Structure formats: structure tokens, C-alpha cells
Amino acid sequence: MFLKLNFRKNTIALFVIGSTLSMAMFAQQPADYVNPFIGTSNFGTTNPGPIAVRGMVNVSPFNVSGLQNLPFEKDSRWWSTPYVNENTFLTGFSHVNLSGVGCPELGVILAMPTTGDIETNHVKYGSTYSNEIASVGYYSNIIDKYNVKVEVTATTRVGVSKYHFPAGKSNILLNLGLGLTNEEGAMVKVVSPTEIEGIRSVGSFCYYKAEEAYPVYFVARFSETAKEFGVWKKPRKYNGLEAQWMDYNGKTRLKKGYTKEVVGDSIGAYMRYDFKKPTTVELKIGVSYVSIENARQNLEKETNGKTFNDILSDSKKEWNSYLSRIKVEGGSEDDKTIFYTALYHTLIHPNTLNDYNGEYPKVKTRETLKTKGTRYTTFSLWDTYRNLNQLMSLVYPKQQSNMVKSMLQIYDESGWLPKWELNATETTTMVGDPAGIVIADTYLKGIRDFDINKAYSAMLKSATQIEDNPLRPGLKDYITKGYLTTKTTQSGSVSTTQEYNATDFAIALLANELGKEQDYKMFSKRSISYRNLFDKTFNLLRPKNDDGTWLTPYNPDYGANFQKNLGFIEGNAWQYTFMLSHDINGLIKLMGGSKKFINKLQEVFDKNQFDMANEPDIAYPYLFNYVKGEEWRTQEMVQALVKKYFQNKPAGLPGNDDTGTMSAWLVYSMMGVYPLAPGEPKYTITTPMFNKITITLDANYYKNKNIVIERVLNNKGKIKSIEVNGKKHNSYFITHEELVNGNTLKVIQN
């Protein structure tokens, strides 16, 4: 047995071999190829800490606090991750975190081992660290100041840590004041010399909806009985008249042996030991979004009777079972590492919200509800509707079904489908109405074990209710004019129109499947209303004013690199004009034919307007497949982009992973198929990057056992022909039904 361990700073990547036998005698498992450090630099915002498949708990090293970590310090800039690879100063291990997001949130319940006297100021007790190791389900380092080795793993709802202390006075701190979130407020209580419980307030993702801050509950259990325990609280400094009598004003208050609740902003608790010899303390922290009682039950149900190694072994087995759904052959070791790490990242979010007993908080009001299945959360749908959910439908359809059911639960609880839901709050981040696309796409791929009538009613509501519609602001203008104007919204009038078009296209497809002819006609017409915003002067999309005139003056280049502008959200006209994969033939006609279309699309890349790090244009490389004779451009472009932006190193993602969306793009691209038009059950084909890819299908949803994608005559030439089940396939597109009901997709090169 061996693990692929990834070291950084003053160490190098190497293999640790579990026996003296030759590596050739052992077959590597997919999980062995995962490098959790990929995406921890270059604003990828992933972290190397262990997490179970779609786990609630993620134990991440927290190294983004303190001036020692400038310029990547959480309070000095917009920073949305608990860990960045370049940083060197550690202030603990946070237990609930987000992966690959662009807004700061969570990153709380920090545990930190120290030695010597009790110090509660994280800037003072923080330390550099070394010998950093990460693999699937495991993270370890050595905290230099204290010479303490840390090892961590996780179950779905419990973080498990081992602290290897030297002889002498040792401490474990639980800091509830520090976090990535911008919310404050906590409660902590020492229950016994082996247990601490508490609550931490979080919320206001992307600085929205501060009124919907919510609690996360925890129970921390220690394997060794503390010789001493206590709590601390640092109140704000008082500047009133009474301050002259307060010699304790603004100073930390340490309460030894205190066993009642302490409430405040900068608070924490500690366990203190005096070891006669080197000793290992195991810390388990169970988490819940419902109650302390549930956090305790989660801890007990998931970890009782299990050692650290048992839990780690279970985690690796679980990850291998999921990652093994896709097996790749051929390609370099780096290719496999990049591929399986990307697949790993797609299995983090959406993640589990419900407790072991099925309880979870109701949207907004936080009442306790119960589910028989899995209630998922972290629906970053503006990102994931483009490819991640399609990947789940293909490879993990049971998970995708539960995601749709979770969306419908959110609809039952709030009256609306989710837009960007997080831990039972609707953040309303980004634009558009993406849930309908995901639901339609799922149903049309044959995953139908959910209430489609309820789903369709929910989709119609968001698409037709003009007043008080949180999913489609500006809907009146969209319906009457066919587009949003510069008056309707102060940012993103064109791109929001396009997002509504994309959802209406998906609704039309679903309506057609359900036999709703009038709806099909209406939404089909609405789905192409972007044509009102196409300006032949530029052969690009352009914002219109309320009176129907063009926005003037107009620079189609403006808006790149997150410049705020009237027409587009996080992009410009170049990065949005081709985000119309549901109507490419219509766009080709608007542009004056195939040649002009190809030239304009190529111009996006030639002028460096293509942004691999953002969602609107990530399908662009595949659009060349729509024009016969130009498919070679897709083949060359996709391979070049993979080589340039996705690498086996911390900066190996092009930017935010966006809860797995960028990773899903890579998984599809390396397999040689891509779901080009969200909602439409169809893929486009390009050159696979492995000799053979075998996708194991779920027998509960698909009749075939697996799909095999093969690359033949690999000399890096253009695609000569495509075969499906041994028969020539005269198209660069294949339907979902053809793909899952076939046995082999063979791509033959010159």
C-alpha cells in the first residue's frame, strides 16, 4: 500500500511506500492520485484539509490571519478561503469551510495545540509550520513553535485530530472569536475535563442579508482528561466616563475552572495538560446546524468505537468508491493527478446539511425539519448549472436526484427555488434563475424519481410572477420588451437577459417533454429574445436603454476583470455574446453566416478576451464544433487550455474553482465530451486525453453497466472519425441517450 503525499515549502513531492516490496506490485487507486494542494494558490480557493464525500465538516489549516500572512491576509483584502499555499503563519484548524468560492464565509471553530503558558491572542500563539502533507481524507503538519505534530481526518459531520505533544505543559485552544466569516457572536461552555460545547454565529455570505445570520453548533471531545480547563473572553474596549475606573477595560478575562456558558464575540475555551512523557491527544469535534444535542449525536454515531486510523481508512474507502466510477488508462501521472483531483473537487459541494438523525434547519426561519434522504446545501447554481450538475447526472445520478429533491424542499419551505443557497439561507448572489435549468436537465436525462409536477410549477412561478420575484428581478421588462434595460438594472442588463433566456430554453424543453405545447411555444420564443440586443455594428451584444436606443458611448471591451458595467456581470460583450449555446444557429445567422461567426469567435481568443477563470465563456472552445470543417479548432483549443491552466501544482486552477465548476469543465474536457447547452441532454465531442476512459453507470438509473470512451491512433492529430458501438457516427454531437445506452465511443485520429 502507498499514499501519494504532497509536500510544500522546503520539501518535495514523494511517495511513501507501505512495504519494502516494489511499487509495481501494487495498483494505485484513484484516490491515491488526488493532490489536495491543487487550487490552493492563484485564487483557486480550495483547501488541503480532509473532508468526507459531500461532508458537512472540513478540517482546514487556517493560515489567513495575522500580518505575517500579508498580502494574503483575510482582513486586508477580499479573501474567501481559510488557507493559501504561499502563507506560512498558522493560527489553528477551522472545522466548517467552503471550497472554491469567491466570497468570505464560515472558517470557524478553530482548534489549536500549543505548549507552555496559556496564550489566547491568536497573533501571539500562532506559529509557522513545516512537513505539510495532504492526501484524500488526511492532512498533517508540524507546528514549529511547539514541535507538535498534527494529523487530521474527518467523517461527514465530525472532524478528528491527533496532536502529538512533547513532554511538559500542553494546551488545546478552541477559539470562537477568529474566523473567515464577517459575523460575530458565540457561546462556549466547558461540560467536563474532556468535553466542550458551543455555538458560533455565521452568515452574510458575499455581504448580503446580515439579518439572516445563523448558528453552527459543536461538541468537542478530548481523549485525555485535562489537568486544568477554562474559558476566556476579550470584551470591546469601553471609552465612556466609567473607563477611568475599569483597570480591566478591553483586556482578556481568563476564567479557570469555569463551567457555565460564556457569551461574546472574542471568546474561547481551553484544555490544559502536564504530560510526563510525549503524549498524543485525540480531539473530535461534531458539528450541527440544528442543535448542540445533534452535534453530540453526530459525534457519537459517526466515531464511537473507531480509532483515528479506522476513520481515515473509512474515508479513503469512501472516496475511492466514488472516484472509481471513472477509470482512466494511458496519460501521464500528472494527467491522472489533475483529472482525479478535479473529480475530487466536484464531490465536495453541494454538501450535506442534515444531521445523522435527518434533522436540518428550515430556510430562513431555522425551524427544525426532517428528511429521509440527504438534504444538500451550498447550491452555487449560477456556476454549477453549466456543467457540474450534468456530470453528477451522468456519473452520480442518485446524488443529483437528491440535489433536485433538496431544491424542491427549499421551494416548499420558502416558496421559491434556490439561486445561491447556503446552509438554509438564500444569499441571492449572482443573477438569473438557474435552478430550473438544473431540474429540467436532470429530468430530461432520465432521472425522474422526484415530483416533476411540483418542479414544473416552481419553474413557472419564477418565470411568470412579475411582482416580488427574488429570482427574476426586472421580469416585466423582460416579458414586454424582451430584455432588461439600463434602467431596469444598474448592472448586467444584457447578461441577466441571457440568463433568463437560458432558463426559458430549459423550461421549453421540459414543457415539450411533458406535452405542454403552449408553454413550449411561449418559452421557446422567450429564449431567443437576446436577439433584440445584438448590434451588427460590433457583431456583439450591446445594452439598450429604456427607450430602446443603444447605450452610447459603448466600448465592448469594458467590463473585463470584474469591472462593473451596465451591460454585463463579471465580464464584457466578448465574454458573453457567445454564451448562447442553446441558439448558436440563430447567432450564426445574426453574425452573417458561418465564416463570420468563426472569425468572431476566434477573435475572442486572439484578442485575449477569453477568460478561463469565469463561467460565462467557459463553453466557448467547444462552439467551433457547430461549424463543419472547423472542429479542429475545438480540439486544439481545449487541449491547449487544459495544458495552460490545469496543472499539478498549487496554482493549478485558473481561478476560483466555484464549488467544482472549473473542475467539472476539466473532467469533461479530459474525457472528450462536454454538455454544451445546459438543459439539452446532449454532448459535443472532442479528443479524449486518455487512451481509455470507463464510466461505471448506476444500475438504478441506467441499463448499461458502463460507457467506454477510447482514443485511437494517438499521435496528436485531428479527429478523423468517430464511432459509437463500432458504427460510424457522422456528428460531433451525441445525445445523452445515445451515450449511456451505447457501450463504446471511439474517437479515431489521423
Side-chain angles (χ1 to χ4, degrees):
M1 171 186 175
F2 65 88
L3 296 173
K4 185 177 183 182
L5 304 179
N6 301 284
F7 291 73
R8 57 184 281 273
K9 294 188 174 65
N10 297 320
T11 52
I12 59 173
L14 59 99
F15 291 98
V16 175
I17 303 174
S19 75
T20 57
L21 299 177
S22 168
M23 279 200 310
M25 296 180 66
F26 299 89
Q28 274 189 277
Q29 297 294 313
D32 298 334
Y33 286 104
V34 173
N35 177 0
F37 288 117
I38 292 177
T40 59
S41 184
N42 191 37
F43 304 95
T45 66
T46 65
N47 73 71
I51 186 171
V53 175
R54 306 210 179 282
M56 179 186 294
V57 165
N58 166 210
V59 189
S60 173
F62 195 92
N63 70 357
V64 292
S65 185
L67 297 180
Q68 296 92 332
N69 288 319
L70 286 172
F72 304 122
E73 201 275 336
K74 72 181 186 71
D75 295 323
S76 65
R77 63 189 300 163
W78 183 294
W79 203 245
S80 59
T81 178
Y83 173 95
V84 60
N85 190 260
E86 289 89 338
N87 286 356
T88 60
F89 187 71
L90 182 79
T91 51
F93 293 83
S94 51
H95 281 69
V96 285
N97 300 286
L98 295 171
S99 175
V101 299
C103 289
E105 186 45 59
L106 302 183
V108 294
I109 313 175
L110 269 75
M112 179 71 175
T114 66
T115 62
D117 295 334
I118 291 288
E119 172 58 65
T120 62
N121 184 330
H122 66 274
V123 174
K124 293 182 179 179
Y125 70 62
S127 170
T128 58
Y129 54 100
S130 56
N131 291 1
E132 190 177 34
I133 301 169
S135 63
V136 164
Y138 180 83
Y139 175 88
S140 177
N141 68 19
I142 292 176
I143 303 177
D144 297 334
K145 182 187 283 189
Y146 311 111
N147 192 29
V148 173
K149 180 181 178 181
V150 178
E151 297 181 277
V152 292
T153 187
T155 67
T156 300
R157 302 170 183 88
V158 185
V160 185
S161 305
K162 284 202 301 186
Y163 303 135
H164 302 275
F165 288 107
K169 293 180 179 179
S170 301
N171 321 291
I172 300 176
L173 312 177
L174 280 183
N175 191 332
L176 300 186
L178 186 60
L180 195 62
T181 183
N182 291 289
E183 281 298 320
E184 296 181 335
M187 183 281 287
V188 69
K189 177 184 177 182
V190 178
V191 179
S192 74
T194 59
E195 188 170 294
I196 297 171
E197 65 184 26
I199 308 170
R200 179 56 155 93
S201 182
V202 293
S204 305
F205 179 79
C206 256
Y207 308 104
Y208 294 135
K209 296 189 175 181
E211 71 279 4
E212 291 190 16
Y214 55 93
V216 53
Y217 305 88
F218 73 91
V219 170
R221 191 167 289 172
F222 304 79
S223 63
E224 295 287 326
T225 301
K227 183 177 181 180
E228 175 193 313
F229 59 79
V231 295
W232 77 82
K233 178 177 182 177
K234 183 178 181 181
R236 66 179 177 85
K237 188 173 183 179
Y238 189 75
N239 295 315
L241 182 63
E242 294 93 334
Q244 60 186 298
W245 291 287
M246 298 168 63
D247 60 353
Y248 54 84
N249 188 16
K251 295 180 181 179
T252 299
R253 303 169 189 177
L254 201 65
K255 300 185 177 187
K256 296 181 181 180
Y258 195 79
T259 58
K260 291 294 183 181
E261 295 87 350
V262 172
V263 178
D265 295 331
S266 298
I267 67 172
Y270 65 88
M271 293 292 186
R272 187 157 170 74
Y273 308 91
D274 191 356
F275 296 125
K276 303 303 181 185
K277 60 181 181 179
T279 303
T280 297
V281 179
E282 190 169 280
L283 168 63
K284 299 176 180 178
I285 298 183
V287 167
S288 167
Y289 288 96
V290 173
S291 67
I292 288 175
E293 292 75 17
N294 278 14
R296 184 173 286 108
Q297 185 184 66
N298 289 341
L299 188 157
E300 292 171 350
K301 291 292 186 180
E302 294 189 356
T303 67
N304 270 7
K306 294 183 178 180
T307 66
F308 181 94
N309 288 340
D310 291 337
I311 293 167
L312 176 58
S313 177
D314 289 346
S315 177
K316 290 190 179 295
K317 287 177 183 176
E318 181 189 40
W319 275 109
N320 260 321
S321 71
Y322 279 90
L323 295 172
S324 295
R325 300 277 185 91
I326 306 178
K327 294 184 178 179
V328 299
E329 299 175 39
S332 67
E333 293 295 289
D334 272 355
D335 288 339
K336 292 174 183 175
T337 295
I338 294 162
F339 179 84
Y340 280 115
T341 303
L343 189 59
Y344 166 80
H345 284 147
T346 69
L347 290 164
I348 293 176
H349 296 304
N351 57 290
T352 303
L353 178 65
N354 63 282
D355 290 324
Y356 187 90
N357 62 11
E359 292 182 346
Y360 68 92
K362 181 181 178 181
V363 171
K364 196 172 184 177
T365 66
R366 316 302 292 185
E367 298 169 56
T368 300
L369 300 176
K370 196 166 187 175
T371 182
K372 292 181 180 179
T374 301
R375 170 60 182 270
Y376 286 115
T377 186
T378 317
F379 285 105
S380 177
L381 294 172
W382 183 85
D383 303 296
T384 65
Y385 86 77
R386 304 166 199 270
N387 56 31
L388 184 137
N389 291 103
Q390 291 88 324
L391 183 65
M392 297 305 106
S393 291
L394 178 64
V395 188
Y396 311 102
K398 182 179 179 181
Q399 286 192 350
Q400 179 60 20
S401 175
N402 278 329
M403 289 174 197
V404 170
K405 291 170 185 172
S406 297
M407 293 181 200
L408 296 181
Q409 288 173 338
I410 291 168
Y411 172 69
D412 286 339
E413 296 161 29
S414 68
W416 297 96
L417 291 170
K419 176 180 280 192
W420 211 122
E421 181 271 353
L422 175 61
N423 293 333
T425 64
E426 177 49 70
T427 70
T428 61
T429 305
M430 299 308 293
V431 297
D433 175 20
I437 302 174
V438 173
I439 293 171
D441 191 280
T442 304
Y443 188 82
L444 293 170
K445 284 189 167 71
I447 302 168
R448 301 187 172 184
D449 52 348
F450 59 90
D451 189 341
I452 190 57
N453 293 320
K454 179 192 290 187
Y456 190 75
S457 296
M459 293 159 69
L460 284 184
K461 180 180 179 182
S462 64
T464 58
Q465 182 173 312
I466 292 176
E467 299 297 329
D468 300 318
N469 188 332
L471 299 182
R472 294 205 193 194
L475 185 59
K476 183 178 180 180
D477 275 355
Y478 175 74
I479 291 174
T480 57
K481 298 176 184 291
Y483 53 88
L484 276 65
T485 73
T486 56
K487 181 180 178 181
T488 318
T489 176
Q490 294 302 301
S491 180
S493 60
V494 179
S495 54
T496 305
T497 299
Q498 291 177 268
E499 295 288 355
Y500 294 173
N501 282 176
T503 303
D504 286 347
F505 171 72
I507 295 175
L509 292 177
L510 183 56
N512 187 55
E513 180 71 14
L514 298 176
K516 300 179 184 295
E517 186 177 352
Q518 290 302 115
D519 286 354
Y520 168 70
K521 290 180 180 178
M522 179 180 73
F523 285 107
S524 293
K525 183 178 180 181
R526 279 172 48 164
S527 73
I528 57 174
S529 69
Y530 78 90
R531 295 178 184 180
N532 295 297
L533 299 174
F534 187 81
D535 184 0
K536 291 185 179 294
T537 305
F538 297 95
N539 250 4
L540 295 168
L541 296 178
R542 180 177 181 179
K544 276 188 175 180
N545 299 315
D546 192 55
D547 61 2
T549 59
W550 294 114
L551 173 66
T552 304
Y554 179 60
N555 179 1
D557 295 357
Y558 190 79
N561 300 315
F562 296 91
Q563 294 171 315
K564 187 173 181 179
N565 66 96
L566 286 170
F568 305 95
I569 295 288
E570 296 187 4
N572 61 20
W574 294 95
Q575 292 149 12
Y576 267 96
T577 293
F578 295 90
M579 195 194 82
L580 298 159
S581 51
H582 67 282
D583 188 42
I584 290 299
N585 290 328
L587 184 62
I588 288 172
K589 290 180 181 178
L590 286 174
M591 287 189 167
S594 296
K595 187 175 181 180
K596 289 185 177 180
F597 169 82
I598 288 295
N599 289 341
K600 198 70 174 180
L601 180 58
Q602 184 63 48
E603 201 174 349
V604 175
F605 298 94
D606 294 343
K607 288 190 172 184
N608 293 319
Q609 290 291 343
F610 177 74
D611 185 358
M612 186 70 250
N614 209 13
E615 275 65 25
D617 61 4
I618 58 174
Y620 279 23
Y622 290 97
L623 298 180
F624 296 105
N625 276 359
Y626 279 101
V627 178
K628 189 173 182 179
E630 301 293 342
E631 300 91 348
W632 62 272
R633 296 179 191 262
T634 287
Q635 296 157 39
E636 288 188 358
M637 192 76 68
V638 171
Q639 296 204 47
L641 291 170
V642 168
K643 184 177 180 180
K644 180 177 180 180
Y645 290 107
F646 298 88
Q647 300 176 28
N648 183 16
K649 61 183 183 180
L653 288 177
N656 288 172
D657 196 36
D658 291 324
T659 66
T661 303
M662 292 299 160
S663 288
W665 186 94
L666 179 72
V667 170
Y668 268 128
S669 296
M670 295 189 81
M671 292 197 301
V673 293
Y674 193 81
L676 200 46
E680 187 175 15
K682 187 165 70 174
Y683 308 89
T684 193
I685 299 169
T686 190
T687 309
M689 299 183 195
F690 297 100
N691 294 338
K692 184 178 181 181
I693 301 116
T694 304
I695 304 171
T696 300
L697 297 176
D698 189 328
N700 293 313
Y701 295 90
Y702 300 120
K703 66 180 185 181
N704 274 7
K705 184 177 180 181
N706 54 46
I707 304 165
V708 176
I709 301 173
E710 291 186 73
R711 176 180 63 179
V712 181
L713 296 177
N714 177 26
N715 58 1
K716 299 184 180 180
K718 299 174 186 176
I719 292 176
K720 178 183 178 183
S721 63
I722 299 168
E723 293 180 1
V724 176
N725 288 341
K727 296 180 180 179
K728 190 171 183 179
H729 186 73
N730 295 314
S731 174
Y732 277 82
F733 294 87
I734 185 170
T735 68
H736 179 75
E737 186 175 7
E738 287 175 317
L739 183 66
V740 299
N741 290 332
N743 290 315
T744 59
L745 169 63
K746 188 174 292 186
V747 178
I748 302 168
Q749 297 178 293
N750 288 325

